[in-house]
Amino acid sequence: MTRNFRCVVFALTAVLAGCAGNGEGLDSNGRPLSGNASSGDGGLHPTLKSIQDNVFTPICTQCHLGAAAPRGLRLDEASAFAMLVNAPSSEVPSLNRVTPGDPDSSYIIQKLEGRAAVGGQMPLGQPPLPQATIDTIKQWIQNGAAQSVAPAKVDVTPMQVHAVAPPPGENLDSTREILLQADGTLNLATLNDASVSLVRSGGDGTFNDGNEVNLGAVHVEARSLDPTVLALKLDGAALVPDSYRLELSGSGAQAVRDSSGLAIGGFVLQFTVGATL
Amino acid sequence: MKFRFLLLALLFVGSSSVLHAEPYLAVQQGLKCNVCHVNPTGGGMRNAFGEVWGQTQLPAERVDTGEPWTGEINRFLAIGGNLRATASETDVPHQDNASSFDTDELRVYLEVRAIPDRLSVYVDQKLAPGGSENQEAYGKLWFDNQRFYVKAGQMYLPYGLRLQDDTAFIRQVSGINFTTPDRGVETGLEIGPWSAQLAVSNGTGGGSEIDNGKRYSVRVEHVQSVWRAGASFNFNDADAGQRQMQNVFAGIRTGPISWLAEADYIIDKSFAPNERKQAVGLIEANWLIRKGNNLKLTAEYFDPDRDVSEDQQNRYSIVYEYTPLQFVQFRIGARVYDGIPQNDLQNRKFFFAQLNGYF
């Protein structure tokens, strides 16, 4: 028995020896230090940036990250705002994960406090967040759940719009919802049939050769104003297998503009439905 | 003696983990997962053999109740369940310790056998903590004298060792664990020492399907009486980016010790702006000291980004499992996380005592 015990202990201590990283050159989340790295060392404040650095990144993204994210909920810095604010929860779709101004009916708070109708308290397998931390997140929601306060813009660089889901080139099905996020606030009045277009290639997988089919109006729902998050609900019946191009105009009289009236940098997202062409 | 205590202290202080993995029982007995479980890939409801074994062979003593409980209400209906309640204390550096009592899970299982040994419907419902939540719900059809099967519905995906502990690195990082069932179709074979599965599922981690990409899971295992070895492959074509996982796993019995090991390599393209390569590993020893008494020692490794130096994490555990009577098991143990020094959570310690009821 002693020999067996020594065998076990020897093998496991051999694995133990010197495997953990010393963290040299890394921030507190284990990422290489850079000029704009999120250190996560600051105190927790009711801003998304602070909550991201102190809660979402170090705790939640142990699971809610990348293609394996439970319930498809990604809480990395690039995705968290669009995935949370005014986005329906997958467990209880009648509740948004975050409803600005209403923390008590925000599903994320119910999950953190362990009073959600479905599933266990978050973070799973870890001690619950301190109530003070949850209160700070509630305060952020109560304050309007804005994305982190950005310094006032004094330049005239065109505002950029990014695809949060899906990334360019992805194959979508007919129930697809596209999530776009702007760097700041868009003038929603400039989103119209002329400035937002959706065309399909006409079956050849290429554009600009004259046989494209314009699909007409796209239903655009603003999930957030600052920064602007747009959910584009595509009409499933109209989406036949083909390559598609969604465009937000960035020039001319019909350009999509930001809140100061400047035209955005233009945005094009190509995706496919059905078999890839 | 001094050497023994020195190493034990070293292991205890510099390591940890809670783990209540069950695959070691299969290694210990030299059996395939489907010998004891309704699900051919293990976990969840036990079949009649598993129920009887759990009442007669697992505990230190069996209270004579006459005929053992088999879970079978009749030929067409069987039920089962699990309860795990834990008292724990978590020690995070630079923070006050936190202690709590928790119900980790209360699950009930139901199998309706429309055609016994051929066609059945299986449900795994989690009643606590939180509200009721369906974990698995699928129909299963056996062919060719239970050599092949097809099942469809919501299920746990076949991948690697099906450890009970969802926080084990190999289960947490892979994202395939008891919190993330997926909806799809699985087909498998159980021929002699071979066990193999192929599954196609939504790949949404239990969420609603939102794209055309699917998740493909393949698992193959060869089981002998004292050893087993296998490999898994998983590819998820998700909106967030493609994720490819592969692993090898094995088990071997050396006298009273049952060993488990798994090594995973993950390529995830969902991390902007570049793909991330990750490595995860686990070694576990289960020492059957005497009937009903098991000492579990586990060492785990996680490299969250192969292209970044000095970011690796370890987790070690020591757990004592005592099964005094049928249907009840006590666990006491500790986990120690060992990560980069600037992250307190990666260096926390977790101590626990757990009651596991099963029937």
Side-chain angles (χ1 to χ4, degrees):
Chain A
M1 190 170 283
T2 299
R3 189 182 63 185
N4 282 326
F5 183 82
R6 286 178 179 169
C7 176
V8 171
V9 172
F10 177 77
L12 293 177
T13 48
V15 174
L16 180 154
C19 287
N22 62 23
E24 189 175 324
L26 306 178
D27 65 19
S28 62
N29 291 316
R31 303 306 301 161
L33 288 169
S34 63
N36 57 357
S38 299
S39 69
D41 295 330
L44 183 61
H45 307 290
T47 66
L48 181 58
K49 177 78 169 86
S50 178
I51 294 168
Q52 184 73 49
D53 289 346
N54 290 279
V55 181
F56 292 162
T57 298
I59 300 173
C60 305
T61 61
Q62 290 180 37
C63 297
H64 285 283
L65 185 67
R71 302 280 177 184
L73 172 59
R74 308 196 307 273
L75 289 176
D76 57 283
E77 192 164 0
S79 309
F81 184 79
M83 288 274 174
L84 289 174
V85 178
N86 287 320
S89 81
S90 64
E91 288 184 336
V92 182
S94 60
L95 292 177
N96 288 332
R97 288 164 173 154
V98 168
T99 298
D102 192 355
D104 287 337
S105 65
S106 294
Y107 197 63
I108 187 174
I109 298 299
Q110 298 183 9
K111 291 294 283 186
L112 292 173
E113 292 184 337
R115 56 184 174 87
V118 178
Q121 185 173 10
M122 293 290 137
L124 270 182
Q126 294 188 36
L129 297 183
Q131 190 57 47
T133 300
I134 298 175
D135 288 344
T136 303
I137 298 172
K138 292 170 82 169
Q139 188 62 52
W140 167 65
I141 297 172
Q142 186 68 54
N143 293 347
Q147 200 171 41
S148 297
V149 178
K153 292 182 177 176
V154 294
D155 58 38
V156 291
T157 305
M159 184 176 294
Q160 300 298 311
V161 175
H162 313 276
V164 176
E170 285 295 322
N171 193 351
L172 311 178
D173 72 6
S174 57
T175 62
R176 184 65 226 163
E177 175 182 89
I178 295 177
L179 271 182
L180 307 179
Q181 180 173 331
D183 287 341
T185 305
L186 293 179
N187 181 348
L188 297 181
T190 64
L191 294 164
N192 51 50
D193 295 354
S195 63
V196 181
S197 65
L198 177 65
V199 299
R200 63 180 179 87
S201 74
D204 56 10
T206 62
F207 296 90
N208 303 319
D209 54 4
N211 65 336
E212 294 78 28
V213 179
N214 193 321
L215 299 186
V218 179
H219 176 71
V220 181
E221 173 187 311
R223 290 259 174 89
S224 165
L225 294 179
D226 186 16
T228 301
V229 174
L230 303 174
L232 283 70
K233 312 235 182 212
L234 305 186
D235 178 5
L239 295 179
V240 299
D242 202 346
S243 292
Y244 289 76
R245 185 174 69 182
L246 173 72
E247 185 169 2
L248 273 59
S249 175
S251 61
Q254 299 299 336
V256 176
R257 300 180 182 280
D258 64 21
S259 56
S260 66
L262 284 174
I264 66 168
F267 172 81
V268 174
L269 173 68
Q270 287 193 205
F271 60 93
T272 58
V273 171
T276 304
L277 295 170
Chain B
M1 193 67 130
K2 191 174 177 184
F3 173 73
R4 178 192 306 178
F5 281 114
L6 182 64
L7 286 181
L8 181 61
L10 204 167
L11 195 69
F12 189 87
V13 171
S15 65
S16 153
S17 165
V18 150
L19 289 195
H20 29 97
E22 314 303 348
Y24 83 88
L25 293 173
V27 173
Q28 185 187 84
Q29 300 300 313
L31 300 173
K32 296 166 74 174
C33 299
N34 70 333
V35 174
C36 289
H37 287 274
V38 170
N39 190 337
T41 50
M45 187 177 190
R46 290 158 289 275
N47 57 25
F49 180 89
E51 287 287 0
V52 173
W53 187 89
Q55 294 165 56
T56 58
Q57 303 303 308
L58 184 61
E61 177 190 354
R62 177 174 185 267
V63 175
D64 189 4
T65 57
E67 289 290 313
W69 163 260
T70 63
E72 298 188 346
I73 307 301
N74 57 44
R75 284 183 65 220
F76 301 99
L77 186 66
I79 61 172
N82 272 94
L83 167 69
R84 297 177 199 277
T86 303
S88 66
E89 174 149 331
T90 305
D91 176 7
V92 180
H94 310 113
Q95 295 181 21
D96 292 337
N97 286 12
S99 60
S100 66
F101 294 101
D102 296 293
T103 301
D104 291 339
E105 65 172 15
L106 171 58
R107 288 171 186 256
V108 293
Y109 312 117
L110 172 71
E111 186 188 26
V112 179
R113 301 161 181 165
I115 305 174
D117 299 328
R118 284 297 300 274
L119 177 63
S120 63
V121 172
Y122 174 74
V123 177
D124 172 350
Q125 194 75 17
K126 191 175 184 178
L127 302 180
S132 179
E133 183 179 15
N134 179 246
Q135 296 296 306
E136 288 191 290
Y138 60 77
K140 184 176 61 181
L141 178 62
W142 284 98
F143 299 93
D144 195 16
N145 197 26
Q146 295 207 323
R147 288 155 58 93
F148 302 93
Y149 71 86
V150 174
K151 66 182 187 186
Q154 179 162 301
M155 66 194 75
Y156 299 121
L157 297 179
Y159 184 77
L161 297 171
R162 184 157 287 174
L163 297 182
Q164 186 64 43
D165 180 19
D166 292 331
T167 64
F169 285 157
I170 58 169
R171 296 286 67 88
Q172 183 183 60
V173 176
S174 69
I176 296 180
N177 50 54
F178 285 106
T179 67
T180 55
D182 209 355
R183 294 166 201 153
V185 178
E186 176 184 311
T187 182
L189 64 84
E190 299 290 337
I191 300 177
W194 290 97
S195 180
Q197 300 85 34
L198 166 65
V200 181
S201 57
N202 285 337
T204 53
S208 302
E209 176 61 308
I210 54 172
D211 60 37
N212 251 358
K214 292 291 174 282
R215 184 172 207 164
Y216 305 91
S217 308
V218 179
R219 181 181 184 273
V220 179
E221 184 177 21
H222 183 83
V223 178
Q224 292 291 329
S225 61
V226 297
W227 64 271
R228 69 193 56 212
S232 308
F233 177 81
N234 186 284
F235 178 75
N236 191 6
D237 184 13
D239 261 6
Q242 295 174 340
R243 179 177 169 93
Q244 177 182 318
M245 307 191 294
Q246 41 269 304
N247 72 20
V248 291
F249 58 92
I252 188 168
R253 186 178 70 245
T254 57
I257 300 175
S258 300
W259 297 83
L260 295 174
E262 180 176 315
D264 295 63
Y265 188 71
I266 300 169
I267 303 170
D268 195 326
K269 296 183 178 178
S270 65
F271 293 95
N274 303 313
E275 69 180 23
R276 199 174 291 181
K277 303 180 185 71
Q278 303 178 319
V280 198
L282 171 143
I283 296 179
E284 181 179 297
N286 288 273
W287 180 15
L288 182 62
I289 296 172
R290 61 177 177 271
K291 191 178 178 187
N293 293 264
N294 182 62
L295 177 64
K296 185 189 299 289
L297 301 172
T298 310
E300 298 172 70
Y301 173 79
F302 174 36
D303 184 347
D305 191 338
R306 298 283 294 161
D307 294 326
V308 173
S309 301
E310 302 301 338
D311 62 343
Q312 300 89 343
Q313 303 170 38
N314 289 336
R315 193 177 83 150
Y316 300 93
S317 70
I318 179 167
V319 180
Y320 196 87
E321 300 176 335
Y322 176 49
T323 312
L325 307 168
Q326 64 262 46
F327 303 128
V328 62
Q329 182 179 68
F330 298 102
R331 292 187 171 101
I332 183 168
R335 297 174 177 172
V336 174
Y337 291 77
D338 182 18
I340 59 175
Q342 55 267 53
N343 186 312
D344 289 341
L345 279 173
Q346 288 184 19
N347 294 279
R348 67 187 185 273
K349 298 180 179 67
F350 181 73
F351 307 94
F352 71 96
Q354 185 181 66
L355 166 68
N356 175 23
Y358 60 94
F359 72 93

